[in-house]
Amino acid sequence: MAKKISQAVVKRLPRYYRYLETLENEGVSRVSSSSLAELLDITASQVRQDFCNFGGFGQQGYGYDVSKLKKEIQKIIGLDRNYNLIIIGAGNIGRALAGYKGFSSEGFFVKALFDVKVDEKETNGVGIFHMDALGEYVKNNKVDIAVITTQGSVAPSVCDELVSLGIKNIWNFAPIDLSVPSDVTVENISMSESLYVLSYRMNNEA
């Protein structure tokens, strides 16, 4: 049985990866657990514990090889392969995500958008299709991740349809948390919640 990794550790992995990528681009070859800890506002001991979940990677008195550690985390996260995405909801958020070039540089490729209203055939080079074509598309194309950018009121039914079509990974931008079967993974993204946290800090922290 695979070792169960805590969500706190999982959420730190992308931050480690981005920092290591920056260090590599700057020509830095070695980094200490203390430097990584300072970035994430945790202890050096916690950094070492995080990496011990996956086998360690460091050498006592030396620290971590930046390029090697970056590649190891890249494999752990799954960034050493490519993924096909579809977006449900061709509104502002859906179109913005389709046009974001950073996804493809990391191996995430937006292949199609779907909506109940189709005014044009494509945006940013990505085809836009009517929702009626979703089932046939999923049947004939490899879809690793479905992105929901619809209104909150219709997101649950969209999610149910995606699950019924066999989609196992959902990235949800609709303003509602979605419930899915245990064999389906959903990441609920709330942009408003981030603003609420910022607002709190603005008004309560010196």
Side-chain angles (χ1 to χ4, degrees):
M1 178 183 288
K3 182 178 180 180
K4 181 70 173 178
I5 307 299
S6 76
Q7 285 301 302
V9 175
V10 172
K11 288 183 179 296
R12 284 195 288 270
L13 289 176
R15 297 183 66 191
Y16 286 130
Y17 180 78
R18 289 198 304 270
Y19 184 49
L20 291 164
E21 189 171 44
T22 298
L23 292 178
E24 187 177 55
N25 290 336
E26 293 175 349
V28 177
S29 61
R30 187 172 62 182
V31 65
S32 68
S33 55
S34 296
S35 295
L36 292 169
E38 186 176 354
L39 169 75
L40 274 71
D41 195 25
I42 57 177
T43 65
S45 176
Q46 183 63 67
V47 171
R48 293 190 290 271
Q49 287 179 41
D50 285 355
F51 294 154
C52 279
N53 283 294
F54 308 100
F57 313 131
Q59 297 179 19
Q60 188 171 2
Y62 177 85
Y64 300 95
D65 181 298
V66 169
S67 294
K68 180 179 179 181
L69 182 57
K70 178 198 164 191
K71 288 179 182 177
E72 292 290 348
I73 294 178
Q74 185 180 46
K75 286 191 291 185
I76 292 168
I77 297 176
L79 298 180
D80 57 340
R81 60 189 73 111
N82 294 332
Y83 302 94
N84 292 336
L85 285 69
I86 59 171
I87 298 174
I88 313 300
N92 292 335
I93 295 177
R95 289 169 184 265
L97 292 174
Y100 179 57
K101 303 303 181 185
F103 289 148
S104 58
S105 67
E106 296 287 359
F108 297 88
F109 297 92
V110 178
K111 295 296 186 177
L113 287 89
F114 294 86
D115 206 303
V116 292
K117 185 179 181 181
V118 180
D119 295 324
E120 53 188 318
K121 293 184 178 180
E122 68 175 49
T123 181
N124 296 303
V126 179
I128 304 176
F129 306 93
H130 195 277
M131 280 295 291
D132 291 344
L134 178 62
E136 191 67 19
Y137 182 92
V138 172
K139 178 182 177 181
N140 295 312
N141 295 274
K142 180 175 180 288
V143 177
D144 300 297
I145 300 171
V147 186
I148 298 178
T149 63
T150 64
Q151 295 179 353
S153 59
V154 299
S157 62
V158 168
C159 181
D160 290 343
E161 182 173 2
L162 290 169
V163 170
S164 72
L165 292 172
I167 300 297
K168 297 296 184 182
N169 303 287
I170 297 172
W171 198 20
N172 174 41
F173 283 81
I176 183 174
D177 286 352
L178 298 174
S179 298
V180 295
S182 59
D183 63 337
V184 176
T185 299
V186 62
E187 181 73 8
N188 294 302
I189 304 298
S190 175
M191 291 180 282
S192 293
E193 285 182 14
S194 293
L195 277 176
Y196 299 161
V197 171
L198 180 60
S199 177
Y200 172 84
R201 290 176 175 170
M202 289 168 59
N203 291 285
N204 294 278
E205 297 181 4

